[in-house]
Amino acid sequence: MTLLLNPRDYETVARERLSQSVYDYYAGGAGDEITVRENERAWTRRRLVPRMLVDVSACDLRTTALGASLSMPIITAPCALNQLAHPDGELAVARAVSAAGTAQVLSTLSSTSLEDVAAAAPAPRWFQLYCYRDRSITHDLVKRAEAAGYVAICVTVDVQRPGNRERDMRNGFRVPPNVRAMNFGTAIEDTTDGSALLKYINDQFDPSLTWEALDWLRGITSLPIVVKGVLSPADARLAVAHGAGGIGVSNHGGRQLDTVLSSCDALPAIVDAVAGTAEIFVDGGIRRGTDVLTALAMGARAVLVGRPYLWGLAVDGERGVLRVLTLLRDDLALSMALAGTPTIGAIDQALLARTTCE
Amino acid sequence: MTLLLNPRDYETVARERLSQSVYDYYAGGAGDEITVRENERAWTRRRLVPRMLVDVSACDLRTTALGASLSMPIITAPCALNQLAHPDGELAVARAVSAAGTAQVLSTLSSTSLEDVAAAAPAPRWFQLYCYRDRSITHDLVKRAEAAGYVAICVTVDVQRPGNRERDMRNGFRVPPNVRAMNFGTAIEDTTDGSALLKYINDQFDPSLTWEALDWLRGITSLPIVVKGVLSPADARLAVAHGAGGIGVSNHGGRQLDTVLSSCDALPAIVDAVAGTAEIFVDGGIRRGTDVLTALAMGARAVLVGRPYLWGLAVDGERGVLRVLTLLRDDLALSMALAGTPTIGAIDQALLARTTCE
Amino acid sequence: MTLLLNPRDYETVARERLSQSVYDYYAGGAGDEITVRENERAWTRRRLVPRMLVDVSACDLRTTALGASLSMPIITAPCALNQLAHPDGELAVARAVSAAGTAQVLSTLSSTSLEDVAAAAPAPRWFQLYCYRDRSITHDLVKRAEAAGYVAICVTVDVQRPGNRERDMRNGFRVPPNVRAMNFGTAIEDTTDGSALLKYINDQFDPSLTWEALDWLRGITSLPIVVKGVLSPADARLAVAHGAGGIGVSNHGGRQLDTVLSSCDALPAIVDAVAGTAEIFVDGGIRRGTDVLTALAMGARAVLVGRPYLWGLAVDGERGVLRVLTLLRDDLALSMALAGTPTIGAIDQALLARTTCE
Amino acid sequence: MTLLLNPRDYETVARERLSQSVYDYYAGGAGDEITVRENERAWTRRRLVPRMLVDVSACDLRTTALGASLSMPIITAPCALNQLAHPDGELAVARAVSAAGTAQVLSTLSSTSLEDVAAAAPAPRWFQLYCYRDRSITHDLVKRAEAAGYVAICVTVDVQRPGNRERDMRNGFRVPPNVRAMNFGTAIEDTTDGSALLKYINDQFDPSLTWEALDWLRGITSLPIVVKGVLSPADARLAVAHGAGGIGVSNHGGRQLDTVLSSCDALPAIVDAVAGTAEIFVDGGIRRGTDVLTALAMGARAVLVGRPYLWGLAVDGERGVLRVLTLLRDDLALSMALAGTPTIGAIDQALLARTTCE
């Protein structure tokens, strides 16, 4: 019986439980997967300089994101079609996130409708938005999210086109017919296989988006907006100028354009550029409490974890997601204690050594 | 059935199809092949910083090289004796390049005559020139290239002597008798084995060339001249001063002098030195659309690919070459979309992170 | 018969002799053990620049630490429960250290009482102190150490909570019932298994300690105090300000918080910060005489070795410890001769190349 | 039948021919052999920037060292007891070196007397000198070298004590009785095994040497003196101040103190420090013509090769040594041609890229 002590243990077991093609769909990335690997490595190259003789008898991981209270600075990233990992899909994630006291970011391409997810369990939930060529689709999604009580819109800007995912091509990856993008009606029924999913993205998502789209979105909702998929400081500044309250530093888990900067390495320049005018979230390669601590020390408000919760979901449904979130929370709490930073507010750049290693 | 999704897939299959000695002749390089490996690695160490919310609904890969229109900034490098890879040799390459709408650089040591290649298919074709001890040979080659409609002379300056290719020596590599340097008459008939090829280069190519030779060449043709084999900024400036319209940043695929700079690492200083007074081309290690994007961001006008097209030729003749060119084009187009640079003109140094990784 | 020429040879043999779980308890560390590995690697990345034509006919390794004479700048680190390695435990270490003419730092969690260790053999012995929630326990330990002739108190400040040691969890590591923390009476009898040990640390050690605790300690003893577990220059300065005479630059052998700086890489900034106002000791990854020489060149007064002496103890009890200490001494003596630094005082920063390698 | 194309090929075959213990004696080094490996790697990390369109029709490798003419800037290093590799030992080396037109540096611990070596073949031969506790021994060696026509004294300063060679200890390496240090009479007869050799060094070589010894040596001979074993710029300046005409930048092939700078990495600061007041020689890790070219570009006058000639000697006696020297010469000649530096004088720092790689 394997002990499941950390997210990588869950990946090991998930890999055995999932089909090769679903595992590869989740684990893989674009091109040679250089950025996939760099995302994880980059956190482990940073070196912490902990402080001693600080009272850490009570470590407090609570924070806020866009004004909502969170039990910890770790939230679940928007991943498509969670039912690929487990029949309970996004509902299991919603319940686990609620139990963990943190936030869920639900994908436009959820395999459960956004309303059903919202009804499953209370949580400060963000709706991840893809912008459609037909803006009325996008408009409706935003309004439905508002109506269902979502507290933020997280607009993904890095899927101008689907990335070059060679593992999926080699596996002939197809979404099984029972897993559907349930935020849509019959129109989406076509997306019953991989190539249809690619076709769907190419047909439906709008590759002509400019910052005007953010203005439009700003105009139709009063919810805070997080722009996710930013790697350039100039884009981060533009996002703030166009009304974003949050920046998602992300390379889509290395799944879109290979050889782009790891999200860790992109973070510092964006923190500098934004200079406190928006909250900064980061995802990509977070596997340990020390990764979270490093991200926060670099200036992130919170981190999003994607693959780790999917492995938990694949292994044990809701319980697996909760367990992964709990492992990360405990690891972060311990890391904060050992680093001499008993509160989120105590974590700052002084925790980081000036040089990276290896 | 192996899917052939990228140039490296073609190499894998080509390796099975070709004899070990022909595969090694193409794949190998000088000495310990440090520069061969660095050529590929150097591109993957650069990190891209893509821009978002740019309209990339229509990516336009068209560019010009030396005034000629190209469908994309990717052209085929001059490789000797293409019939070693496939009986259709340079004719297959000519047709594939023409179908792809790009340019071919034909080797002096082509296994098909330059006139036959020119007649095979229309394309803005460059003639790669080796300078012979007997300048009348060189003169005749230039005049024949002009007469056959070649639009540029690409003079290779880094084969003062043949490089130290130990794989070929260990394999006892010999050019089979049916593969001949068809730009020449009976005199070249001697080059029916490897040692004769080395002997031919040593006997025929002029190791005493100086910049005077470029002046001479400049005097006998009005075609634009590209000086290929430049790694030093000082040489790049000299080439321009002596009338070159293009610089080929190249280490001959790592086949001449080992431990020289990778062409990627040599590029920035040459771009700075030339400062727009000539067009800059680069070859060596280009395997992915992101490599091309990186090269263009660093200041290259276009890239030359050698081994990738040879693997395509070996696997499937003309169709294989066209497929490799199409894969590279599609990969570049996708990379441009995901980087927020929908035109060649939009690609500049801002796409590159200041630090390299790994 | 394997020759045992250096501490790593002893580890190889110890690994065969010990149970997997005890070996892992000693060899392992926190999380992904990045810092465990970096501790060793960091020393080997530094480059020495030796001096020639210095009279090295008599190399003198003698030094002092906190005023006590030592035969060499190598002392044994405080490791818990040495009877896990060998039935003679800390008594064997005491006798070997005495024979070697150096100092022993005895752990609060010794499996032999501090009085019995002191009676076993003369040596300038430090008592390593954990601070208990119940300060009377801590007070009594200090007074007992004073009474038993210990010459310094080495207070460990980096065990606010036990680190995340996954090897121990996977092994279900349990301290066997016959190995006990003998500085305590029946109360400690509960610590007969691994989880009880963790529970003990969580229950008993005080995670609310601040620099006030150092003031309190300073007030109850006139022995010199070494603050061990410092990685931050700011903490080093605070330690001196609060009366410490020594700083132990340490990350607890990589067993507490993973991804913290290696002790080698932390050392220079602390040497600068302390600027001679306290003696600096360093532990973590010392395996060779050149590691010791490097540490001294960087400004350390002496090094502590932990795992190396445990491997010696596991292989051959007292003789094994003495042999490991002798091997390190001989290796340092030879290194000093070959570096042109025949005395400890002759070793300084000029021995180090400005750049690190690999 | 293996083709022997370069020094590493010779090592491969020599390894098969020699006993493990003799192979290890030659191939191994001190401690963890970090410096042994770094010596080779450091050259391969440097990057060349070749120049084109230079007349390289006649590459001239001739140079001088300490005023003597050499056919090339590659000479044989002083290695002890060459009869371990082949019965013809130093005589074979002498003849091969003479045939190659270069210089031999003969070890004090030659297995053939210096007079017999001098009589074997003409060459500008240096005598490598170890300084004995009994200065009359040293004095006699110098006088015998002068009488036998040696043109320089190469005094080795980095064997204050024998290095920590664990391979030899593990192998129980013993010099066979028929291989003797033939520069000495019966007294040396004791050195018939490995431990006796170590004992001999410890007993006979003077570890108390200071720069006064160089003054003394300067006083007893008018031959030029090369101080070999220098890694520090300060020592290089002192050597010049005390009358040395040459500096041997060397770490004794990584056989004395591990983790010292590679000779390649030590070279630049020494070139700067000496500033042309002495000739600089370098040994350690030279295996390719490009390594030699790099060393010369960094400012070395010539390189010494040790292990490469020993492998040639082991494989094929005199012919093997000559072949290795010829391979290196040819490789250097080709490298010079391809780098655009047809003479030794044309090689300078401009050939080196500013950054190192990998």
Side-chain angles (χ1 to χ4, degrees):
Chain A
M1 178 60 196
T2 310
L3 280 180
L4 298 169
L5 301 179
N6 59 52
R8 286 196 187 90
D9 288 345
Y10 273 88
E11 177 170 2
T12 301
V13 176
R15 187 171 197 165
E16 295 163 5
R17 304 255 173 110
L18 298 170
S19 67
Q20 179 74 20
S21 72
V22 168
Y23 172 77
D24 279 342
Y25 170 70
Y26 284 145
D32 296 313
E33 300 187 349
I34 290 168
T35 296
V36 171
R37 288 187 294 274
E38 279 290 296
N39 271 350
E40 290 199 29
R41 275 187 204 158
W43 299 112
T44 67
R45 280 197 288 257
R46 304 276 165 172
R47 289 287 166 267
L48 296 170
V49 185
R51 297 300 298 271
M52 301 299 146
L53 292 174
V54 174
D55 179 351
V56 294
S57 53
C59 282
D60 186 346
L61 281 68
R62 285 176 301 173
T63 189
T64 64
L66 305 172
S69 293
L70 302 178
S71 66
M72 61 176 175
I74 303 169
I75 67 187
T76 58
C79 302
L81 303 173
N82 288 353
Q83 289 183 10
L84 287 172
H86 190 277
D88 296 344
E90 292 82 1
L91 294 176
V93 180
R95 292 179 191 121
V97 164
S98 183
T102 186
Q104 175 183 21
V105 189
L106 187 79
S107 173
T108 287
L109 296 178
S110 172
S111 49
T112 312
S113 77
L114 67 92
E115 290 82 3
D116 287 352
V117 172
R125 197 166 277 114
W126 304 357
F127 185 72
Q128 178 270 330
L129 187 72
Y130 283 120
C131 288
Y132 283 70
R133 292 177 192 265
D134 179 349
R135 287 221 176 154
S136 68
I137 298 177
T138 315
H139 182 273
D140 287 355
L141 286 168
V142 171
K143 291 301 154 189
R144 285 169 60 193
E146 286 179 346
Y150 286 70
V151 300
I153 300 297
C154 175
V155 59
T156 297
V157 294
D158 60 1
V159 186
Q160 306 94 326
R161 288 177 52 192
N164 174 35
R165 314 231 183 116
E166 298 188 352
R167 291 206 210 190
D168 292 349
M169 288 185 263
R170 294 189 202 284
N171 290 328
F173 173 64
R174 299 169 62 91
V175 178
N178 61 314
V179 178
R180 298 184 184 178
M182 289 299 287
N183 282 324
F184 303 96
T186 48
I188 198 71
E189 298 259 329
D190 289 338
T191 63
T192 51
D193 62 31
S195 56
L197 183 59
L198 291 191
K199 186 173 180 303
Y200 178 83
I201 292 172
N202 278 322
D203 288 354
Q204 301 286 331
F205 290 7
D206 186 353
S208 75
L209 285 186
T210 65
W211 293 99
E212 172 278 330
L214 197 58
D215 297 335
W216 172 82
L217 182 64
R218 183 67 294 163
I220 65 165
T221 184
S222 59
L223 290 179
I225 296 172
V226 177
V227 177
K228 177 173 174 287
V230 173
L231 292 173
S232 151
D235 280 350
R237 274 189 296 257
L238 282 168
V240 173
H242 287 270
I247 305 293
V249 177
S250 174
N251 49 42
H252 215 103
R255 296 162 76 84
Q256 286 296 100
L257 182 60
D258 200 21
T259 78
V260 299
L261 270 184
S262 70
S263 44
C264 172
D265 289 332
L267 186 54
I270 292 176
V271 169
D272 286 351
V274 169
T277 59
E279 295 186 354
I280 295 178
F281 305 93
V282 65
D283 69 79
I286 298 282
R287 298 294 179 269
R288 286 282 187 187
T290 45
D291 300 339
V292 184
L293 188 58
T294 298
L296 268 58
M298 294 171 80
R301 185 81 189 172
V303 303
L304 286 70
V305 292
R307 292 178 180 101
Y309 93 74
L310 290 167
W311 308 136
L313 182 63
V315 169
D316 205 15
E318 177 188 336
R319 278 197 308 185
V321 177
L322 181 55
R323 179 81 182 127
V324 165
L325 291 174
T326 303
L327 285 169
L328 283 168
R329 178 213 302 272
D330 292 349
D331 200 17
L332 175 59
L334 177 57
S335 298
M336 286 169 63
L338 297 178
T341 51
T343 63
I344 300 300
I347 301 167
D348 67 17
Q349 290 196 357
L351 263 188
L352 300 169
R354 245 164 304 171
T355 54
T356 57
C357 291
E358 198 172 341
Chain B
M1 178 58 196
T2 311
L3 281 180
L4 297 169
L5 301 178
N6 60 51
R8 286 196 187 92
D9 288 345
Y10 273 88
E11 177 169 3
T12 302
V13 176
R15 187 170 196 166
E16 296 163 5
R17 303 256 174 107
L18 296 170
S19 67
Q20 180 72 21
S21 73
V22 168
Y23 171 77
D24 279 340
Y25 170 71
Y26 284 145
D32 296 313
E33 299 187 350
I34 290 169
T35 295
V36 171
R37 287 187 296 273
E38 279 291 296
N39 271 351
E40 290 199 30
R41 275 186 204 160
W43 299 113
T44 67
R45 280 196 288 257
R46 304 276 166 172
R47 289 288 166 267
L48 296 170
V49 185
R51 298 300 299 270
M52 301 299 146
L53 292 173
V54 174
D55 180 352
V56 294
S57 53
C59 282
D60 186 346
L61 281 69
R62 286 175 302 173
T63 190
T64 64
L66 305 172
S69 294
L70 302 178
S71 67
M72 60 176 174
I74 303 169
I75 65 186
T76 57
C79 302
L81 303 173
N82 289 352
Q83 288 183 11
L84 288 172
H86 190 278
D88 295 346
E90 291 82 2
L91 294 176
V93 180
R95 292 179 191 122
V97 164
S98 183
T102 188
Q104 177 183 20
V105 188
L106 188 78
S107 172
T108 288
L109 296 178
S110 172
S111 50
T112 313
S113 78
L114 67 91
E115 290 84 2
D116 288 352
V117 172
R125 196 166 279 112
W126 304 358
F127 184 73
Q128 177 272 330
L129 187 72
Y130 284 119
C131 289
Y132 284 71
R133 293 175 191 265
D134 179 351
R135 288 224 174 151
S136 70
I137 298 176
T138 314
H139 182 273
D140 287 355
L141 285 167
V142 171
K143 291 300 155 190
R144 286 168 60 193
E146 286 178 344
Y150 287 69
V151 301
I153 300 296
C154 175
V155 58
T156 296
V157 294
D158 59 2
V159 187
Q160 305 94 328
R161 290 176 50 192
N164 173 35
R165 315 231 182 115
E166 298 188 354
R167 291 205 211 191
D168 292 350
M169 287 185 263
R170 295 191 201 283
N171 290 328
F173 174 64
R174 298 170 60 92
V175 177
N178 61 314
V179 177
R180 300 184 183 178
M182 289 298 288
N183 282 324
F184 303 95
T186 49
I188 199 70
E189 299 257 330
D190 290 338
T191 64
T192 50
D193 62 31
S195 57
L197 183 57
L198 291 191
K199 185 173 182 304
Y200 178 82
I201 292 173
N202 277 323
D203 288 354
Q204 301 287 330
F205 291 7
D206 186 352
S208 75
L209 286 185
T210 66
W211 293 100
E212 172 277 331
L214 196 59
D215 297 334
W216 172 82
L217 182 63
R218 183 67 293 164
I220 65 165
T221 184
S222 59
L223 290 179
I225 297 172
V226 177
V227 177
K228 177 173 174 289
V230 172
L231 292 173
S232 151
D235 280 349
R237 275 189 295 257
L238 280 168
V240 173
H242 288 269
I247 304 294
V249 177
S250 173
N251 50 41
H252 216 103
R255 297 161 75 83
Q256 287 296 99
L257 182 59
D258 199 21
T259 78
V260 299
L261 269 184
S262 70
S263 44
C264 172
D265 289 331
L267 186 54
I270 291 175
V271 169
D272 285 351
V274 168
T277 59
E279 294 186 355
I280 294 178
F281 305 94
V282 65
D283 69 78
I286 297 283
R287 298 296 179 266
R288 287 282 188 188
T290 45
D291 299 340
V292 184
L293 188 57
T294 298
L296 268 58
M298 293 171 79
R301 186 82 188 171
V303 303
L304 285 70
V305 291
R307 294 179 180 100
Y309 94 73
L310 290 167
W311 308 136
L313 182 63
V315 169
D316 205 14
E318 177 187 337
R319 277 199 308 186
V321 177
L322 182 54
R323 178 81 182 128
V324 165
L325 291 173
T326 303
L327 285 169
L328 282 169
R329 178 214 302 273
D330 292 349
D331 200 17
L332 175 59
L334 177 57
S335 298
M336 286 168 63
L338 297 178
T341 51
T343 64
I344 300 299
I347 301 166
D348 66 17
Q349 290 196 356
L351 263 188
L352 300 169
R354 244 164 304 171
T355 54
T356 57
C357 291
E358 196 175 342
Chain C
M1 179 58 198
T2 311
L3 280 180
L4 297 170
L5 301 178
N6 59 52
R8 286 196 187 90
D9 289 345
Y10 273 89
E11 177 170 2
T12 301
V13 176
R15 187 171 197 165
E16 296 163 4
R17 304 255 174 109
L18 297 171
S19 67
Q20 180 71 22
S21 72
V22 168
Y23 172 77
D24 279 342
Y25 170 71
Y26 284 144
D32 295 314
E33 301 188 348
I34 290 168
T35 296
V36 171
R37 288 187 295 275
E38 279 291 296
N39 270 351
E40 290 199 29
R41 276 187 203 158
W43 299 113
T44 67
R45 280 197 289 258
R46 306 276 165 171
R47 288 287 165 270
L48 296 169
V49 186
R51 299 299 301 270
M52 300 299 146
L53 292 173
V54 174
D55 179 350
V56 294
S57 54
C59 282
D60 185 347
L61 279 71
R62 287 175 300 172
T63 189
T64 64
L66 305 173
S69 293
L70 302 178
S71 67
M72 61 176 174
I74 304 170
I75 66 187
T76 58
C79 302
L81 303 173
N82 288 354
Q83 289 183 9
L84 287 171
H86 190 278
D88 296 345
E90 291 83 0
L91 294 176
V93 180
R95 292 180 192 120
V97 164
S98 183
T102 187
Q104 178 183 18
V105 188
L106 187 78
S107 173
T108 286
L109 296 178
S110 171
S111 49
T112 313
S113 77
L114 67 91
E115 289 84 3
D116 287 353
V117 172
R125 196 167 278 114
W126 304 358
F127 184 72
Q128 178 270 330
L129 186 72
Y130 283 120
C131 289
Y132 284 69
R133 292 178 192 263
D134 179 350
R135 287 223 175 152
S136 68
I137 298 176
T138 315
H139 181 274
D140 286 355
L141 286 167
V142 171
K143 291 302 153 189
R144 286 169 60 194
E146 286 179 345
Y150 286 71
V151 301
I153 300 297
C154 175
V155 58
T156 297
V157 293
D158 60 0
V159 187
Q160 305 94 328
R161 288 178 49 194
N164 173 35
R165 316 234 180 113
E166 298 188 353
R167 291 205 210 192
D168 292 349
M169 287 184 264
R170 294 189 203 285
N171 289 328
F173 173 64
R174 299 170 61 92
V175 177
N178 61 313
V179 177
R180 300 185 183 177
M182 289 299 287
N183 283 324
F184 303 95
T186 49
I188 199 70
E189 300 258 328
D190 289 337
T191 63
T192 50
D193 61 31
S195 58
L197 183 58
L198 291 190
K199 186 172 180 304
Y200 178 83
I201 292 173
N202 277 322
D203 288 354
Q204 301 286 332
F205 290 7
D206 187 353
S208 74
L209 286 185
T210 66
W211 292 99
E212 172 277 331
L214 198 58
D215 297 334
W216 172 82
L217 182 63
R218 183 67 294 162
I220 66 165
T221 182
S222 59
L223 290 180
I225 296 172
V226 177
V227 178
K228 176 171 173 290
V230 173
L231 292 174
S232 151
D235 279 349
R237 274 189 295 256
L238 281 169
V240 173
H242 288 270
I247 305 293
V249 177
S250 173
N251 48 43
H252 214 103
R255 298 161 75 83
Q256 286 296 100
L257 182 60
D258 200 20
T259 78
V260 299
L261 270 184
S262 70
S263 44
C264 172
D265 288 332
L267 186 54
I270 291 176
V271 168
D272 286 351
V274 168
T277 59
E279 294 186 354
I280 295 178
F281 305 93
V282 65
D283 68 80
I286 297 284
R287 298 295 179 268
R288 286 283 189 187
T290 45
D291 300 338
V292 183
L293 187 57
T294 298
L296 269 57
M298 293 171 79
R301 185 82 188 172
V303 303
L304 286 70
V305 292
R307 294 179 180 100
Y309 93 74
L310 289 168
W311 309 136
L313 181 64
V315 170
D316 205 14
E318 176 187 337
R319 277 199 308 185
V321 177
L322 181 55
R323 179 80 182 128
V324 166
L325 291 173
T326 303
L327 284 169
L328 283 169
R329 178 213 302 272
D330 291 349
D331 199 17
L332 174 59
L334 177 57
S335 298
M336 287 168 62
L338 297 177
T341 50
T343 64
I344 300 299
I347 301 167
D348 66 17
Q349 290 196 356
L351 262 189
L352 300 169
R354 244 163 306 171
T355 54
T356 58
C357 289
E358 196 174 339
Chain D
M1 178 60 197
T2 310
L3 281 179
L4 298 169
L5 301 178
N6 60 51
R8 286 197 187 90
D9 288 345
Y10 273 89
E11 176 170 2
T12 301
V13 176
R15 187 170 196 166
E16 296 163 5
R17 304 256 173 108
L18 297 170
S19 67
Q20 180 72 20
S21 73
V22 167
Y23 172 77
D24 280 340
Y25 170 70
Y26 284 145
D32 295 313
E33 300 187 349
I34 290 169
T35 296
V36 171
R37 288 187 295 274
E38 279 290 297
N39 271 351
E40 289 199 31
R41 277 187 204 159
W43 299 112
T44 68
R45 280 197 288 257
R46 305 276 165 172
R47 289 288 165 268
L48 296 170
V49 185
R51 297 299 300 270
M52 300 299 146
L53 292 173
V54 173
D55 179 352
V56 294
S57 53
C59 282
D60 186 347
L61 281 69
R62 287 175 301 173
T63 189
T64 64
L66 305 173
S69 294
L70 303 177
S71 66
M72 60 176 175
I74 302 168
I75 66 187
T76 57
C79 302
L81 304 172
N82 288 353
Q83 288 183 11
L84 287 172
H86 190 279
D88 296 345
E90 291 82 1
L91 293 176
V93 180
R95 291 179 192 121
V97 164
S98 183
T102 187
Q104 177 182 19
V105 188
L106 188 78
S107 173
T108 287
L109 296 178
S110 172
S111 49
T112 313
S113 78
L114 68 92
E115 289 83 3
D116 288 351
V117 172
R125 196 167 279 114
W126 304 357
F127 184 72
Q128 178 271 329
L129 186 72
Y130 283 120
C131 289
Y132 284 69
R133 292 176 192 264
D134 178 350
R135 287 222 176 154
S136 69
I137 298 177
T138 315
H139 182 274
D140 287 355
L141 286 168
V142 171
K143 291 301 154 189
R144 285 168 60 193
E146 286 178 347
Y150 286 70
V151 300
I153 300 297
C154 175
V155 59
T156 296
V157 293
D158 59 1
V159 187
Q160 304 94 328
R161 290 178 47 193
N164 173 35
R165 316 232 181 114
E166 297 189 353
R167 291 205 210 191
D168 292 350
M169 287 185 262
R170 294 189 202 283
N171 290 328
F173 173 65
R174 298 171 62 92
V175 178
N178 61 314
V179 177
R180 300 184 183 177
M182 290 298 287
N183 282 325
F184 303 96
T186 50
I188 199 71
E189 299 258 331
D190 290 337
T191 64
T192 51
D193 62 30
S195 56
L197 184 57
L198 291 192
K199 185 172 182 304
Y200 178 83
I201 292 173
N202 278 321
D203 288 353
Q204 301 286 331
F205 291 8
D206 186 353
S208 74
L209 285 186
T210 66
W211 293 100
E212 172 277 332
L214 197 58
D215 297 334
W216 172 81
L217 182 63
R218 182 68 293 160
I220 66 165
T221 183
S222 58
L223 290 180
I225 296 172
V226 177
V227 177
K228 178 172 173 289
V230 173
L231 292 174
S232 150
D235 280 350
R237 275 189 295 257
L238 281 168
V240 174
H242 287 270
I247 305 293
V249 177
S250 173
N251 49 41
H252 215 103
R255 298 162 75 84
Q256 288 296 99
L257 182 60
D258 200 20
T259 78
V260 299
L261 270 183
S262 71
S263 44
C264 172
D265 289 331
L267 185 55
I270 292 176
V271 168
D272 286 351
V274 167
T277 58
E279 296 186 354
I280 295 178
F281 305 93
V282 65
D283 68 79
I286 297 283
R287 298 295 180 269
R288 286 284 188 186
T290 45
D291 300 339
V292 183
L293 188 57
T294 298
L296 268 58
M298 294 170 80
R301 186 81 189 173
V303 303
L304 285 70
V305 292
R307 292 178 180 101
Y309 93 72
L310 289 168
W311 309 136
L313 181 64
V315 170
D316 205 14
E318 176 186 338
R319 277 197 309 184
V321 177
L322 181 55
R323 179 79 182 128
V324 165
L325 291 173
T326 303
L327 284 169
L328 282 169
R329 177 213 303 271
D330 291 350
D331 199 17
L332 175 59
L334 177 57
S335 298
M336 287 169 63
L338 297 178
T341 50
T343 63
I344 300 299
I347 301 167
D348 66 18
Q349 289 197 356
L351 263 188
L352 299 170
R354 244 164 305 171
T355 53
T356 58
C357 290
E358 196 173 340

